[in-house]
Amino acid sequence: SRRGIKNNDIQVIDLLYNTQRKFQIVFTKADQIKKDERQVLLENSQNIIKPYLPIFNGFIFTSSRRQDGQKELRLSLGKYIKS
């Protein structure tokens, strides 16, 4: 989570975009960032994702330590497994 979206992530997103594959971005270790840092991360990430909105399915913040986002991630993955 603290690192945000990097150049190698954008390369993968470009590949997904060029093949019209939907994707989500999962930020792990969300318990390690402060609330205000998380907001900045989200805003920066939203700006990066703007060109990819037609195939973008949202952000999920997870923390294995606090179990945050686990249910949301499972539900999201379940949709892709079924389709």
Side-chain angles (χ1 to χ4, degrees):
S1 287
R2 294 179 296 196
R3 293 182 178 89
I5 299 172
K6 297 295 182 193
N7 287 336
N8 60 334
D9 299 318
I10 294 171
Q11 290 175 349
V12 173
I13 293 168
D14 282 336
L15 177 66
L16 294 169
Y17 185 79
N18 290 333
T19 58
Q20 291 297 293
R21 302 287 182 203
K22 294 183 179 183
F23 70 97
Q24 287 183 309
I25 294 177
V26 179
F27 292 109
T28 60
K29 300 181 182 181
D31 59 305
Q32 296 181 9
I33 58 172
K34 297 176 184 175
K35 192 173 186 175
D36 57 333
E37 292 172 338
R38 181 175 172 161
Q39 185 60 36
V40 170
L41 172 67
L42 187 57
E43 289 170 5
N44 290 340
S45 299
Q46 287 170 333
N47 287 331
I48 292 170
I49 290 302
K50 281 182 184 177
Y52 308 101
L53 287 177
I55 61 166
F56 178 62
N57 285 330
F59 300 104
I60 299 177
F61 287 86
T62 64
S63 166
S64 60
R65 186 175 296 167
R66 295 188 322 209
Q67 300 301 308
D68 294 342
Q70 302 298 315
K71 184 177 180 181
E72 183 181 3
L73 182 58
R74 280 190 210 104
L75 290 172
S76 177
L77 289 172
K79 289 178 191 176
Y80 290 103
I81 292 171
K82 290 179 183 177
S83 57

